[in-house]
Amino acid sequence: MIFIAPATLGFVVFYIWPTLRGAYLSFTEYSLLSAPKFNGLANYERMVQDSFFWNALGVTVEYVVINIGVQTVLAVGIAMLMYRLTKSITVRAVILAPYLVANVVVALVWYWMLDVQVGIVNTFLGWVGIDPVAFFGDSHWAIPTVAGINVWRHMGYTALLVFAGLQTIPKYVYEAAEVDGSTEWKTFWRITLPLLRPVLVMVLVVTMIGSFQIFDTVAVTTQGGPINATRVIYYYIYERAFTRFDFGYASAMALVLFAILAVVSLLQLRLLRAKESDLA
Amino acid sequence: MTLNRRTLLKAGLAALAVPAVAACNNGAAARGDGEIIYWLWDSAQLPMYTECAKVFHEQNPQYSVKIEQYGWNDYWSKLVTGFISDTAPDVFTGHSSKYPLFADKGQVLAIDDYVAKDNVDLGIYQKGLADRWIGADGKRYGLPKDWDTEVYFYNSAFTEAAGISTEQLNSMTWNPKDGGTFEQIVRRLTVDSKGRRGDQPGFDKDNVKVYGLGYADAGGGDGQTSWSWYAAINGWKYSEGEPWGTKFFYGDPKFTETIGWWRGLITKGYMPTYAQAKSGVDVTTSFGAGKYAITPNGSWMLGTYGTLKQVKTKLARLPIGPVGKRMSMMNGLADTIWAGTTRRDASWAWVKFLGSQTAQDIVAKAGVVFPAVAASMPAAKAAFAKSGWDVTPFLEPVEAGDVFPYPANPNAADVTAVMTPAMESVMSFEAEPGSLAKANDDVNKILSANT
Amino acid sequence: MTRQVSVGRTVAWILLFVLLIVTLFPFYWMLRTAFSDNTQLPGHPNSLLPVETTLGAFKRVLGLASIEEAQAQGGSGAAVNFWLYLRNSLVVATITTVCQVFFSAMAAYAFARLRWPGRDKVFALFLAALMVPPIFTTLPNFVLIKNLGLLNSFAGIILPGAFMTPFAIFFLRQFFLSINRELEEAAMIDGAGHRRIFFGLIIPMSAAPIATLAILTYINSWNDYFWPLLVGQQENVRVLTVALGVFRSQTPQGGPDWAGLMAATLIAALPMIILFLAFAKRITNSIGFSGIK
């Protein structure tokens, strides 16, 4: 029991207690600046009718799909490239470098680089004859742009997690495959990917949860706009809680977000049978 | 379990001990009774307020002030956290979009008694300014420290190349039908990629190199630096009973025709599309890169425009409209006292000092903002002149009394949440200006629900 | 190796190269901006080289420029005591990382290897903590830290992250799961207790994942902004990110001091790049002798 005692302490004090409190507040009318008033299910009833809420959910899902899809493929690709091609620490350091820069700064740098009038990226596009793209201002581009920025920051991080997983695959497995005359491509699908499963599941669950909570990039760049194109759920919750002082309603939405994440993660874990490892 | 408890315990204790020791060194230092904490968000103003604090301490040796500065967003988050946890600063800089709610929730201190007791002369401030800090409940929540209005910042190299004189720029007219001489000037200042001007034959509105008019955003519910003055000189008011509006008028034809005209500039190619305008770092950066000839903006931006060294920036008056005069929004900041402070007298002394001419002369001389005390204004004018700005266009509407207030309201954030997407939809041509009537209904519904 | 494979390798190298370019270009852009004169930047948006090359931005970040100089270059009027903030960041990130990784590893071991009733349910609960929206935790935690009298102390900044993060436990558990049980059972037969297995077997064998986790934890803790801003504002505990926040936002509509911001970001990232290079060597080494490969 001593093994989990410290973790449990931190868990109860800094996670369980605040969550229970948040859950309670979701049944209240609470402006942050005056005492909470119990109002039953009123917040949840409002949520059902709140078109902003549904829009925010939709936008968030769009973001998660793009972000996770692109990021996972790239990360596994990079990890494989690093694993098969080079043991160079410099390459690894470079790949991780974007993660060293804080979210907010990453967003600011790209905001500047992707500016439609003075951004360097649109200058490059101009050189190859492409008209400037209003990355943040065009409602069709805004979410993919935000997702792309976060892929840039996180792909090295994710690749490193996958890479750590690759390192735990024993060499003899590959040697056996080579003896059988398996091609590199086949080896990847038949051996590497299945053996990578425990790590991959973890990476997917963790990045998915993080992805649903996208906030910083939106707060720095589009602030929910244009119109409501990037008003992702967490940004909307934040707006409700801290600029509109509707903390009770924000708590209710946060709790729903929590429930959605729990279901999605559970499904992922079930579907991918993360519990057992193929090696154990 | 065969784990050696002692070892673990030791490890655990060691881990805890380090922060604990650190806590002893750095734990919240007890503050003296006379020391108050003051917050502001503008780091450019930090030096002059530090100077104010020094003078204040010399005059009132029993009091001292510790100044803390946080960037705009952090400032409000930290302030709210402070309210909830009893750690807010004794005195802080307030903003008209925020303080009504704080007052409504009893977080800021009404200072009427102090003002009466000390016979504070409210007549020293620019006309109307002190009254902005009387809340919807009729109580006074702050003494004004500065004020701002809007003008056009223009690139004088562009206007000279277009053959537009300073006189023309300063005597523009406007109406919602054809935009008056203002629109003619904007049209002339717009240049396409082949060098043809907006009023020349063959002008290609789809390939514009320099837009006559830039804008930062769709303006939300206040349009402070985007459309507020056009609507005002068209005879429109935000709400019934300004500034504490109980019923808004965003559906009024005077307003919708103004917005209809404004977005028409996009169709004509004189203004970038909404997507382009919002896909930029900010309007001043694009202005500094020579993409805009004219950008409207507030007086607090003088410093930022001043750092744009590649362009020669000058100021022009806002246009005269159908109501027969120019009008500008006038807004400002004030110092407010947190209701939970345990140092009320010290806090009041500091607020009173910041609202006095002594302090505002210091502020004025720094040449960053316009002081609220009218008599400090010449010093500010001189300071701005030293940086090459003739700030008269900002002053004129104030002196003439042709100003209107920021639409203050305890529900301002809710109003913004409705109006921002609504205005964005109109400006990106996804909705007609007529749709603002629906947004207006939503706004009024919020107001009636919360009162 | 067949010819086919070497074509594949060439393509792979090209792919990697392209990825590296995409990864690095923004950094070049940051460097270029950091060495530029802030007041000249907007006028030359497309210049690939620094505009009016100057060290002014770095001087501002390191606190070597006077406030008047800084403001003349479009910077802020706040003083910066760089070395003190650097020290604070090192203290906070180091203690957080050591505590968090160690305690999480213990818990992860308990979840991966020890058998006790309700284990999987408790693990699921811990996992659920991963999904707790930060909006729930920030305010209560702040009030708690304040009630403990730990505002403006390192303890206050460190405490919430010191015991565990759900991610760290989840991460390590997955790796502990994939460790071959036979080695452990052999050790058991030799009479080793859980403590010896944990310290003597599990930890050395998981050196690579633990080091990876430690690096990621360090980076996260280093980059943490909002919590230290709330809890540790006073000079003596102010961390680098909080202090450099001043380069980010000054007035609501004004643009940030771009050159200063980029210089600040690069300087703040530098210690971690050094750390990573040092640690990465150790990771590769540890893989060499950990015996499972």
Side-chain angles (χ1 to χ4, degrees):
Chain A
M1 274 304 109
I2 283 219
F3 270 105
I4 59 162
T8 308
L9 175 68
F11 177 62
V12 171
V13 173
F14 295 110
Y15 289 91
I16 294 265
W17 156 242
T19 307
L20 291 179
R21 192 175 164 280
Y24 163 69
L25 289 175
S26 78
F27 298 104
T28 65
E29 188 187 324
Y30 181 36
S31 71
L32 279 176
L33 304 177
S34 39
K37 262 203 314 267
F38 187 78
N39 69 352
L41 290 171
N43 290 329
Y44 294 90
E45 281 161 16
R46 252 169 89 195
M47 206 185 308
V48 176
Q49 294 166 7
D50 183 355
S51 62
F52 284 98
F53 169 74
W54 293 107
N55 170 71
L57 269 189
V59 170
T60 309
V61 168
E62 186 192 345
Y63 168 82
V64 170
V65 169
I66 299 178
N67 181 53
I68 296 295
V70 177
Q71 181 172 298
T72 310
V73 171
L74 277 177
V76 172
I78 293 171
M80 285 303 293
L81 289 174
M82 287 199 297
Y83 188 66
R84 300 293 292 156
L85 291 181
T86 169
K87 293 263 176 279
S88 159
I89 293 165
T90 318
V91 170
R92 244 174 277 169
V94 167
I95 287 291
L96 189 64
Y99 195 69
L100 298 180
V101 184
N103 258 337
V104 171
V105 180
V106 167
L108 280 172
V109 171
W110 280 100
Y111 197 42
W112 173 272
M113 285 177 41
L114 293 175
D115 186 299
V116 70
Q117 288 168 324
V118 298
I120 188 73
V121 172
N122 273 311
T123 307
F124 288 155
L125 290 180
W127 289 351
V128 292
I130 299 174
D131 281 340
V133 178
F135 287 101
F136 291 102
D138 186 314
S139 48
H140 305 290
W141 275 102
I143 276 286
T145 303
V146 171
I149 291 173
N150 283 323
V151 167
W152 180 80
R153 178 164 188 260
H154 288 103
M155 67 183 179
Y157 165 87
T158 316
L160 210 71
L161 297 184
V162 177
F163 186 71
L166 283 175
Q167 289 175 326
T168 62
I169 299 177
K171 282 269 187 299
Y172 64 79
V173 184
Y174 285 115
E175 283 153 15
E178 213 169 304
V179 171
D180 290 349
S182 169
T183 66
E184 190 121 351
W185 189 247
K186 266 193 198 158
T187 313
F188 173 75
W189 285 105
R190 287 197 190 153
I191 298 174
T192 313
L193 218 49
L195 286 179
L196 210 51
R197 209 178 57 206
V199 173
L200 219 48
V201 170
M202 181 215 39
V203 167
L204 269 176
V205 170
V206 169
T207 50
M208 177 86 82
I209 291 170
S211 188
F212 262 101
Q213 297 181 352
I214 159 84
F215 174 75
D216 287 348
T217 318
V218 169
V220 171
T221 58
T222 59
Q223 293 175 336
I227 314 177
N228 291 308
T230 59
R231 200 169 306 273
V232 290
I233 185 73
Y234 202 77
Y235 188 74
Y236 185 51
I237 292 176
Y238 179 86
E239 252 183 354
R240 276 281 176 183
F242 293 108
T243 62
R244 301 172 69 179
F245 297 98
D246 203 350
F247 201 86
Y249 185 51
S251 297
M253 288 194 287
L255 204 68
V256 168
L257 176 63
F258 177 79
I260 293 174
L261 287 175
V263 170
V264 171
S265 312
L266 204 71
L267 277 178
Q268 276 180 312
L269 288 169
R270 277 277 153 78
L271 285 176
L272 296 157
R273 285 175 300 130
K275 272 171 99 180
E276 331 95 54
S277 153
D278 291 344
L279 270 184
Chain B
M1 240 163 253
T2 55
L3 191 84
N4 182 331
R5 277 155 200 270
R6 234 185 30 219
T7 323
L8 260 181
L9 205 64
K10 258 195 288 188
L13 278 180
L16 284 176
V18 179
V21 169
C24 295
N25 293 336
N26 303 314
R31 246 187 322 142
D33 278 343
E35 186 186 314
I36 57 164
I37 291 178
Y38 173 62
W39 282 9
L40 49 84
W41 62 76
D42 185 357
S43 66
Q45 301 191 41
L46 195 53
M48 62 220 209
Y49 280 97
T50 310
E51 170 76 15
C52 284
K54 218 179 83 197
V55 176
F56 173 69
H57 182 62
E58 281 163 15
Q59 292 184 358
N60 305 274
Q62 73 275 33
Y63 300 139
S64 63
V65 180
K66 187 163 178 282
I67 301 178
E68 294 176 5
Q69 176 266 333
Y70 306 97
W72 173 262
N73 286 324
D74 297 338
Y75 183 89
W76 299 107
S77 320
K78 217 175 136 78
L79 190 63
V80 172
T81 315
F83 288 154
I84 298 164
S85 60
D86 268 345
T87 54
D90 304 291
V91 182
F92 61 93
T93 309
H95 190 270
S96 2
S97 68
K98 307 272 185 182
Y99 99 88
L101 181 75
F102 296 161
D104 196 43
K105 302 290 179 195
Q107 294 295 338
V108 286
L109 194 68
I111 54 171
D112 299 82
D113 294 347
Y114 282 114
V115 171
K117 195 184 76 188
D118 287 2
N119 274 322
V120 176
D121 180 6
L122 298 168
I124 62 169
Y125 302 112
Q126 291 285 358
K127 206 161 63 187
L129 212 48
D131 293 351
R132 293 297 148 69
W133 299 90
I134 299 176
D137 56 2
K139 291 186 182 141
R140 187 178 299 279
Y141 288 101
L143 289 184
K145 59 196 288 171
D146 57 26
W147 58 270
D148 51 72
T149 50
E150 282 72 47
V151 301
Y152 291 118
F153 290 74
Y154 68 91
N155 183 324
S156 62
F158 287 167
T159 53
E160 277 160 31
I164 298 165
S165 70
T166 320
E167 290 71 43
Q168 282 173 301
L169 281 161
N170 278 307
S171 57
M172 295 186 287
T173 61
W174 177 88
N175 66 69
K177 300 285 175 300
D178 62 9
T181 61
F182 171 69
E183 182 170 329
Q184 288 166 22
I185 286 175
V186 168
R187 182 193 311 155
R188 178 142 188 84
L189 285 169
T190 306
V191 183
D192 73 9
S193 55
K194 298 230 170 65
R196 290 171 300 218
R197 296 189 171 276
D199 56 2
Q200 286 171 342
F203 168 71
D204 177 5
K205 69 190 177 83
D206 296 320
N207 286 296
V208 173
K209 203 176 75 194
V210 178
Y211 289 100
L213 189 63
Y215 63 116
D217 52 43
D222 59 79
Q224 186 175 20
T225 58
S226 44
W227 47 255
S228 62
W229 56 95
Y230 307 119
I233 56 177
N234 200 25
W236 178 77
K237 269 182 154 64
Y238 288 90
S239 59
E240 207 165 86
E242 285 183 329
W244 302 103
T246 45
K247 199 174 137 222
F248 276 83
F249 298 134
Y250 295 115
D252 186 308
K254 285 203 170 104
F255 180 67
T256 49
E257 72 176 348
T258 303
I259 299 302
W261 164 82
W262 188 43
R263 78 168 190 173
L265 297 181
I266 298 175
T267 325
K268 294 168 188 159
Y270 311 152
M271 219 161 67
T273 63
Y274 186 69
Q276 284 175 308
K278 280 305 277 182
S279 196
V281 180
D282 52 36
V283 70
T284 48
T285 306
S286 299
F287 179 82
K291 306 285 180 183
Y292 299 143
I294 301 180
T295 52
N297 225 325
S299 48
W300 65 89
M301 292 299 282
L302 281 162
T304 307
Y305 278 90
T307 61
L308 304 171
K309 294 286 160 63
Q310 260 87 40
V311 289
K312 182 93 187 73
T313 312
K314 284 187 180 167
L315 309 176
R317 293 168 176 154
L318 298 175
I320 295 177
V323 296
K325 55 185 180 182
R326 338 182 129 79
M327 291 187 82
S328 169
M329 182 186 282
M330 186 189 194
N331 195 23
L333 308 178
D335 292 305
T336 46
I337 301 174
W338 175 42
T341 179
T342 53
R343 297 166 170 77
R344 287 195 178 188
D345 289 340
S347 300
W348 164 247
W350 172 239
V351 168
K352 193 174 88 175
F353 175 77
L354 287 181
S356 72
Q357 197 184 337
T358 319
Q360 304 230 337
D361 278 342
I362 298 173
V363 173
K365 282 188 194 110
V368 179
V369 292
F370 300 144
V373 175
S376 302
M377 204 47 217
K381 259 182 112 163
F384 278 108
K386 247 195 334 205
S387 334
W389 295 112
D390 175 8
V391 294
T392 320
F394 286 109
L395 283 167
E396 286 169 343
V398 180
E399 281 161 1
D402 294 333
V403 290
F404 54 94
Y406 183 93
N409 194 292
N411 301 304
D414 290 322
V415 174
T416 304
V418 173
M419 287 309 293
T420 301
M423 289 300 300
E424 290 184 355
S425 301
V426 171
M427 289 308 283
S428 47
F429 290 86
E430 291 195 13
E432 290 305 306
S435 68
L436 294 170
K438 159 87 176 60
N440 192 55
D441 291 344
D442 292 347
V443 166
N444 287 336
K445 227 179 281 169
I446 292 172
L447 294 194
S448 58
N450 287 0
T451 41
Chain C
M1 292 272 150
T2 60
R3 199 167 42 98
Q4 229 179 341
V5 173
S6 67
V7 171
R9 281 184 88 83
T10 318
V11 174
W13 269 110
I14 293 170
L15 269 177
L16 187 64
F17 192 68
V18 170
L19 278 166
L20 289 182
I21 298 278
V22 172
T23 305
L24 282 179
F25 183 76
F27 283 94
Y28 172 72
W29 201 244
M30 288 161 81
L31 259 178
R32 166 261 184 204
T33 308
F35 281 109
S36 296
D37 178 340
N38 202 47
T39 61
Q40 304 286 331
L41 269 174
H44 303 276
N46 300 324
S47 156
L48 284 174
L49 292 174
V51 185
E52 307 269 319
T53 311
T54 165
L55 287 173
F58 288 94
K59 277 193 193 148
R60 261 172 284 155
V61 173
L62 295 172
L64 300 175
S66 74
I67 285 169
E68 289 75 28
E69 275 168 27
Q71 288 196 316
Q73 293 165 356
S76 84
V80 178
N81 189 350
F82 181 79
W83 298 108
L84 177 65
Y85 307 142
L86 180 70
R87 185 208 72 174
N88 294 343
S89 270
L90 284 171
V91 169
V92 168
T94 308
I95 299 179
T96 306
T97 305
V98 169
C99 294
Q100 190 187 107
V101 172
F102 180 69
F103 290 140
S104 297
M106 294 195 330
Y109 177 67
F111 284 125
R113 280 297 192 259
L114 305 184
R115 287 192 189 85
W116 39 283
R119 181 187 73 173
D120 290 351
K121 288 205 180 68
V122 175
F123 177 69
L125 206 63
F126 269 63
L127 203 59
L130 205 57
M131 300 149 211
V132 173
I135 204 160
F136 278 173
T137 53
T138 311
L139 288 177
N141 288 352
F142 180 77
V143 173
L144 176 71
I145 294 294
K146 183 216 152 207
N147 290 340
L148 290 175
L150 294 177
L151 284 187
N152 288 310
S153 74
F154 284 129
I157 302 175
I158 292 165
L159 222 49
F163 296 108
M164 55 94 66
T165 59
F167 168 70
I169 293 181
F170 190 21
F171 178 89
L172 289 175
R173 175 184 173 267
Q174 296 299 90
F175 280 98
F176 292 168
L177 277 180
S178 61
I179 289 174
N180 202 325
R181 262 183 199 278
E182 284 159 25
L183 279 173
E184 235 180 298
E185 277 153 15
M188 282 280 205
I189 293 165
D190 289 349
H194 280 299
R195 188 179 63 87
R196 264 193 54 201
I197 292 176
F198 179 65
F199 286 104
L201 200 69
I202 301 281
I203 288 195
M205 281 179 62
S206 310
I210 288 180
T212 306
L213 178 70
I215 288 173
L216 298 179
T217 308
Y218 204 91
I219 295 173
N220 278 333
S221 160
W222 187 274
N223 280 336
D224 204 6
Y225 177 72
F226 193 64
W227 180 254
L229 173 78
L230 284 183
V231 175
Q233 185 52 37
Q234 274 173 23
E235 277 277 300
N236 47 4
V237 293
R238 193 183 303 168
V239 297
L240 208 49
T241 44
V242 174
L244 297 183
V246 72
F247 286 94
R248 218 169 69 198
S249 58
Q250 297 164 28
T251 44
Q253 284 96 339
D257 167 7
W258 285 102
L261 179 70
M262 295 306 141
T265 303
L266 291 170
I267 288 182
L270 202 62
M272 281 183 297
I273 293 173
I274 294 168
L275 179 96
F276 183 82
L277 289 175
F279 257 81
K281 273 212 177 70
R282 287 212 49 193
I283 300 177
T284 25
N285 289 345
S286 60
I287 293 164
F289 60 74
S290 62
I292 44 164
K293 300 284 128 65

